[in-house]
Amino acid sequence: MADISLDGHGAVAGRMQAAAPGHSRDEAQDWLSAIEKSNLSTRYYLTIGILVLQEMFEFYDFFLVGYLVSVLAPGWHLTYGQSAIMLLSSGVGAIVGSLVGGTLADIFGRKKMIWGGGLIFSLGAAGCALIPDGSWVLFSVLRFVVGFGSIAAVSAQNPLIVEITPTRYRTFVSSMMVAP
């Protein structure tokens, strides 16, 4: 590993970081200043609203499954271990989804990961509605998929909100994302 020191902007200390070809550092600073001074638009509020709804439905599904398993367990003659696996599988999927989703969001972009995670979540939830009676293993696998997709999307939502929100609103808006 190289032994280097970085300045406050993440550049190697003592070296002038080159701007992108055709652009100056002053243009980048003007762009950032324009974002910070801008007013929040209708499109911004719609984006925040859609992200809040997506997160709300995904977390609602996380909590709903606890009640669902308590109803299914007697009819499916499940042991406590089988019920526990059904409940824990979405949590394990969430752990994997946060690791994979955050990495993929950095590589492919936050919006694509939000859409992709939402699609994976929706397919897993729809699959749960179609499983036959007594298929607790399939239910557990699909709950893993639900947890993976849900948290993969959420792991990209919060950084996106921070990135598109002017500094003067950032703390309030990013705090409200975890309120629902």
Side-chain angles (χ1 to χ4, degrees):
M1 204 185 245
D3 185 34
I4 59 171
S5 59
L6 303 177
D7 65 7
H9 301 289
V12 176
R15 290 191 189 169
M16 180 67 174
Q17 191 174 17
H23 300 285
S24 69
R25 293 185 102 188
D26 293 332
E27 287 177 10
Q29 191 61 37
D30 291 341
W31 179 76
L32 288 173
S33 298
I35 288 176
E36 292 302 321
K37 294 176 185 175
S38 66
N39 292 325
L40 302 179
S41 66
T42 304
R43 183 176 177 177
Y44 175 84
Y45 288 114
L46 287 172
T47 301
I48 296 297
I50 289 170
L51 292 176
V52 166
L53 283 174
Q54 180 186 23
E55 193 168 323
M56 184 177 67
F57 287 128
E58 289 170 350
F59 283 119
Y60 173 73
D61 181 77
F62 261 118
F63 296 113
L64 181 68
V65 76
Y67 298 105
L68 182 62
V69 169
S70 68
V71 170
L72 292 176
W76 286 7
H77 307 291
L78 299 175
T79 65
Y80 288 113
Q82 292 167 333
S83 297
I85 290 171
M86 290 171 67
L87 292 171
L88 288 173
S89 60
S90 62
V92 173
I95 293 169
V96 176
S98 68
L99 296 171
V100 173
T103 303
L104 291 178
D106 288 339
I107 295 170
F108 297 111
R110 311 238 188 272
K111 288 192 292 185
K112 289 179 182 176
M113 194 65 243
I114 291 169
W115 279 99
L119 178 65
I120 292 168
F121 163 82
S122 300
L123 292 174
C128 285
L130 301 175
I131 62 172
D133 284 346
S135 297
W136 71 271
V137 173
L138 180 58
F139 185 87
S140 299
V141 169
L142 290 172
R143 291 303 302 165
F144 178 89
V145 171
V146 165
F148 179 92
S150 174
I151 303 303
V154 170
S155 67
Q157 285 175 354
N158 295 331
L160 179 69
I161 295 302
V162 169
E163 290 170 354
I164 66 173
T165 304
T167 306
R168 63 187 181 274
Y169 302 115
R170 191 170 293 157
T171 302
F172 176 76
V173 174
S174 60
S175 298
M176 292 306 295
M177 287 300 294
V178 295

